[in-house]
Amino acid sequence: METYENQIKYNNDGSVNVPFGRAAEWYISNVNLLKNYRLKNQSRQVTPKLVKAGILTVERVQGAVDYLAWKTINGTVKSTNRIDDILVLTSLGNELVSQIELGLAKDQQCWYWVMYCSGDGSNCQRLCGGIGKCNENCENYNLRNNLKNGNDMHHCSVRVISECRLSWLSSENPLRITIQGTHRTFYNNDTPKISRINLTYSVRDTIVLSRRAGHRTTKGIKAKLLTSFNGAPEEVINNALASQRVICDNDKLRQFVARDDKKLKDDTGPWTRLDSLVNDILKSQGFILYYQIADINHPADSPERYYQLTISDEFWLRNARDYGKICIGIDGKYDLNLPVLSIVTENNTGGGLPIAFALCNKENHHTIRLAIDAIKKNIPCDNEFCEHKWYYENLLSGNGFQRVRECQNNNWKPYILIDKHRPSKIAIQNALHKPILCWFHIMKTFSENLNKWQIPAKFKYPIALAFKIVGRSRTEETAIEMVKQYNEFVSTLPIEKTKKDKLIDDLSKNWMSAEWKLSFIDAGRISKNGTNRFPWTTNNFTERINRTIEAVYSGKQTPLTFIERMYGTKFQSNTIANHEDLNKFDFDLVTLFNTQTIEQQTKDDMVCSDKVRRLNQGRLAFLLNMVKISSDKNIFFVKKKPDDLLVSPYNNKPLHLDEEIVRRLNNMIKFLMKSLLSENIKLDQGYHICDIITGECTCWEYIWNSSLRDKCKHYHAATLFKKTQQKGHIEVVNEAKENLVHYFRNKEIVVPASIKNNIIYQGDIEDSYQEIIRLYNVQGNKIFYPLKRSSQEIKDPFWPIELNEKTKSNLGAPPKLFAKPRLSHKINLPNQSQSGNTFSIQQRKTKQIQNLKRKREDNLSSITDKRIIPFASSSTFIMPSPPHNVFQHLPELLLNDDLDLDLNLDLTSKSHNLCPYCDEILPGILPEKLKDQLQILQNKSITEEERWSFCIMHHGELNIVPLGLLKGYPEYIDFNVLPSRIIKFEKDLVEIINKNITSYYWDIASSIYKEVGYNKVKAPMMFMNRFEVFQPGYYGFNGLYIIINTLMDLFITFNNLTKEQTYPLNPVDFIYEVLVPEVTLRLIQEDRNNNITLEDARKILTDSVEFGVYMHSNEIDIDNSLF
């Protein structure tokens, strides 16, 4: 942390002299007498008169922003005073000081300011002698807050007096600071608690700058403040938290940020500031392409009615000329107060580049057209070294301006990729461009429709494939024919006619309509410019640019902050001092995008993993001699393989479709590809046909991806075969083999050494290639997809043994886990319903008989004796494991000659009721609740859950309840009054939190957490071992629910419980493990009219847990107003 110790001059009388600026506040903050106290201040004397007289001026220390400035009625600018203000002499003041030094004028004070202790809390002794409060005979006793006015210094005698004279201004340390008084007349070691914001001005400046310039959130600001304590010992952090001068709690920080936000907002409206930012800063640098203020007097169909701001950068515009001639993308972003239109292109290495961003108050064809036209007017001409100037001209409406370049690039007419947004399409066509649709959004909409129409799952992929086959049409005529083929295919599906009609109507009306047809099919995307580049098929680049903005962006998202962040420029209002460190952010997005663009130009082309996979699948097909020629030099046949299934692009799993459906889809593909076939070229059933000029192929990959995005593996195989006709066969084979091996070696790089395929990874090219062939013969196409292997390798010697078994994958980062494990589907559960006299039933009867013999004496007494108490001999009930897992009738064991068993029993009754779960004999006289339940279960087929529930009930009613009532546990509890009872214990709980009262439960929890560690304590087994320790006794789970909610309201909702107070537990764990049982002890003590000690109450709590679980853990029926 910054120190000013070397600037402090100590005087013999106890005062100090310091220079103006930060040193004064630093000294006051670090004096032991003032370190943990909050100071207030009276008005600064003398200085305003001298400022008004023109003798001196008051300047802010560099970086000071936390102050208010305002204009008086007379036009004078005034502002709040700060201890780090700097006094500077004017020319008139310098003359006066010269006269003073010569003895021609009298010296006079130029600064006199009294600061005083606020007397917060109960630590300070007041002037009347009272500690923390006034004595009854004090004249302030009956006043509000015991103060006469806001500047009354009655609460404490400590004063901090700062003063300066005109003659001292020429010295290095002109400001004298004197501290008078004490907080108490006797020694006190207590540290006062600061309840108000007590941050220094320098810290406040840091917060304001972080908020206004950096758009940091409260958490981000707190993190920045804590950087000065990196590596600091515990004592330093404790002292800082106690004084609250450098850091404060989150609530105070949030209040301070909210206050500054309101202050800034009240000073200047955001739209006024945005207008000033555009006109005063960005326009002069050429960043604004078009700016128009909305005029609501114009009609709705007029462009002048809408607000429009289009921004760009000269580097972006040159990139648009160089890389955006074929295709650009447009997409809207709607998380600001206004829609933001992102216009993006792709560079030659496959990276996305921004061209411009457009803000408008309504996204329609007018505003989109304005943005496109603004870009077109500023695209440089085709001359690589174009030096034509640009200039601004006012709009005819007088409501704004636009930027225009002297040269006009009439060759810039790219395809524009959009979502299915009609205003975008109209605007693009009006601007003489061709709109095309994003296939990602096409299929997203189509899949949503399939779900909405409840199309059976097994037909979704076939319908999607048929839909894609139509999209692959390369001429309008073909498309019309393919629609008929699609309709026939849908008509043959075994689904309802209404669903078929919806599928057919959707294609004809929504996708193949005259309006959208060429934006949908490949025919509308085939460029005739003779280049190898094609328009995009998805809008990924635009989405990535938007994600980049969102990732970098923080704070409240408004148009103003969006523009500020984009160019790293901060509009300066009157409340922010004019300092250089406010003019820029840490960085701006324009620089980020430009840096990325330049870096991409020096790198290899960025290729998607699926494209690389198809390329290497083609290499392997070529090396396996799966390509043969046709009579056309550009058309080849590639042999089909048994595992040539369509692989889902979403999870890389092969799709096994119905053979009849596949046959119909293949017929559609043949019809689509009839242009490739002729009398001399006939399609063999065992081969795919591929055109290496157009990229067309009869495989599923071509149908799904289109050759406009990427070529299929058969194209790559045929292309390599074509190369062998131009170059040497051996040369092409060796090159393909080497590239294939390198591909698989790269896949092995991320695999641990213990499970690497070392033949591929370390062998020579031929050995590696032969190993790849071997794997391919075993696994097929699976070798091209992410590998998952089990590894027991332990690189970390401290790694837990139970975590040794890990699945490794060469896919990259592991997938995110689900929040909770998925439950098995009901149809996968085994059928537990059985009938007949199975072995388990015979076994069960045998066990019943054995139980009768083993428990003869107890059973006889239970049948004849009405008293139930002897059954409850144990306070802990362990549920026995079920002896069977079948459905059957509740048995009645008949003791007759047919059993042929010598039981040696002299029973007065011929039959007995048994528990259907644990086989215990039930007494002849049962409680009403148990009797009713037994009657319900008799003579019906019952489930295991019903058996288990009855067993719990009979144990509870016969054992737990009688024993609990005998001990005086309450059968009925009024849970509606429980919150008010708990609140009465708040004082005791606060004393426990402050460690003024010892707590048995805190001692246990603290020792466990410190001994085992937080993570192990939270483990399930550890939690279960101590679960009964913090149970609410006979109040049960109903009581636990209310106790926890009440304690949450008391301590968590208003942040009255901090981590520092509950360490090593966190506040929530502290409530569960300490305060819940402590509250229960006091409730039990109160139930016994306070005639027992807390130790006695703790014994009752422990002993009554089972009673509470059984009696008071039903659904809570309590007045909702309690929570």
Side-chain angles (χ1 to χ4, degrees), residues 907-947:
L907 303 177
T908 59
S909 176
K910 294 282 184 167
S911 63
H912 309 283
N913 287 324
L914 303 177
C915 173
Y917 194 95
C918 66
D919 293 336
E920 282 190 9
I921 295 181
L922 303 177
I925 301 176
L926 298 172
E928 287 297 322
K929 184 176 180 181
L930 204 58
K931 187 186 299 182
D932 293 342
Q933 186 65 20
L934 191 60
Q935 287 179 347
I936 293 173
L937 297 180
Q938 286 288 357
N939 300 320
K940 63 167 283 191
S941 180
I942 61 174
T943 65
E944 287 300 316
E945 183 178 1
E946 289 173 326
R947 298 178 190 277

Side-chain angles (χ1 to χ4, degrees), residues 65 304 384 439 533 623 643 650 942 957 977 1059 1073:
V65 291
E304 286 80 11
E384 183 181 355
W439 266 101
R533 298 183 62 196
L623 292 170
D643 59 348
Y650 305 103
I942 61 174
E957 293 297 321
V977 300
K1059 290 183 179 179
E1073 301 191 32

Side-chain angles (χ1 to χ4, degrees), residues 333-383:
K333 187 174 159 59
Y334 303 97
D335 53 354
L336 306 181
N337 292 350
L338 297 180
V340 176
L341 201 66
S342 302
I343 300 99
V344 178
T345 189
E346 176 190 11
N347 63 14
N348 58 343
T349 61
L353 310 172
I355 296 175
F357 295 94
L359 288 77
C360 55
N361 59 345
K362 185 175 183 179
E363 189 178 40
N364 57 27
H365 67 278
H366 292 299
T367 54
I368 297 173
R369 169 72 185 275
L370 290 174
I372 295 174
D373 285 345
I375 295 171
K376 289 183 67 174
K377 292 177 181 178
N378 288 278
I379 297 292
C381 63
D382 290 334
N383 183 356

